[in-house]
Amino acid sequence: MLTTKTRSRRGPQVCCFLILLLLVTLIILYLTVFKPKQPEVRGTVVGLRQIEFQPFPNFMLNITLVVAVTIDNPNYAGFEFESGTTLIFYRGVLVGQAPVMEGEVGARSTETLSVYVELEVSTITANPNFVQDIASGILPLESSTSVRGKVTILGVFKLNASVFTSCDITVALLSRYASATCNSRVYVQ
């Protein structure tokens, strides 16, 4: 038979054991399931939303690119991102930009953000390489997209990240086709 004195000593021991067990369980869950992971980001140029090219009799050029940024969130919490910017360059000169609207990628899901960028044709045609590029039928462009965001798990654990995607774009003027090779990087803060 347990005496009152023995019971009073076991109470704190059981309580300490339960607290220790809870802490170990939370640490294991954090390290395996809830640990914030970097979102994966892929950038691509989906294509041309609009291209009007007429070399003769009156020169005309209008181009609107569709740039897509795909964010894959492997976390058990949403990835919230702030508004960002997509920039398009021709031979190192800025010729177009468009905002990437803020949003959220749900837990363990993927979202694709499409951005439409209308190019400033007057800046493109002022470049000394433009005539040579028109003669080849290829317009070389570069794009860069940057987005900042964060993942918050259980309202406590946070992972801030900046996403940067750059693409080398080839626009075939006569066939009205665009292709790209893209690289993406995630910087964790």
Side-chain angles (χ1 to χ4, degrees):
M1 178 169 187
L2 296 174
T3 64
T4 308
K5 194 174 187 180
T6 309
R7 277 192 227 149
S8 66
R9 277 192 242 155
R10 284 199 170 179
Q13 290 174 345
V14 170
C15 184
C16 286
F17 176 76
L18 290 176
I19 289 173
L20 183 63
L21 183 64
L22 179 64
L23 283 174
V24 168
T25 303
L26 288 175
I27 289 170
I28 290 171
L29 281 174
Y30 173 77
L31 293 175
T32 58
V33 178
F34 295 120
K35 182 179 180 183
K37 300 170 187 78
Q38 288 188 4
E40 293 180 28
V41 179
R42 295 177 304 281
T44 57
V45 173
V46 174
L48 299 167
R49 182 175 189 193
Q50 173 188 358
I51 183 168
E52 295 176 284
F53 174 62
Q54 178 182 325
F56 304 106
N58 297 323
F59 178 80
M60 179 183 64
L61 179 64
N62 291 317
I63 300 175
T64 302
L65 289 175
V66 181
V67 178
V69 177
T70 302
I71 301 173
D72 181 22
N73 180 17
N75 294 291
Y76 286 91
F79 175 67
E80 296 177 30
F81 55 90
E82 302 170 4
S83 58
T85 306
T86 295
L87 304 172
I88 304 292
F89 299 91
Y90 170 67
R91 303 278 184 189
V93 177
L94 181 65
V95 295
Q97 62 183 3
V100 176
M101 304 308 288
E102 66 183 27
E104 181 177 354
V105 180
R108 302 182 60 81
S109 64
T110 301
E111 292 288 329
T112 300
L113 314 170
S114 295
V115 179
Y116 301 99
V117 185
E118 186 174 340
L119 304 185
E120 297 173 15
V121 176
S122 61
T123 305
I124 294 172
T125 58
N127 190 298
N129 294 306
F130 177 69
V131 174
Q132 181 182 353
D133 290 336
I134 287 294
S136 72
I138 301 294
L139 201 61
L141 302 170
E142 301 90 34
S143 74
S144 69
T145 302
S146 59
V147 176
R148 291 178 27 168
K150 66 180 175 180
V151 175
T152 305
I153 297 177
L154 300 176
V156 178
F157 307 112
K158 293 183 182 181
L159 174 70
N160 292 317
S162 294
V163 175
F164 180 78
T165 302
S166 62
C167 299
D168 291 322
I169 305 165
T170 302
V171 176
L173 296 170
L174 296 176
S175 61
R176 292 172 167 72
Y177 177 76
S179 63
T181 304
C182 300
N183 295 307
S184 298
R185 293 182 297 259
V186 177
Y187 299 99
V188 179
Q189 294 124 353

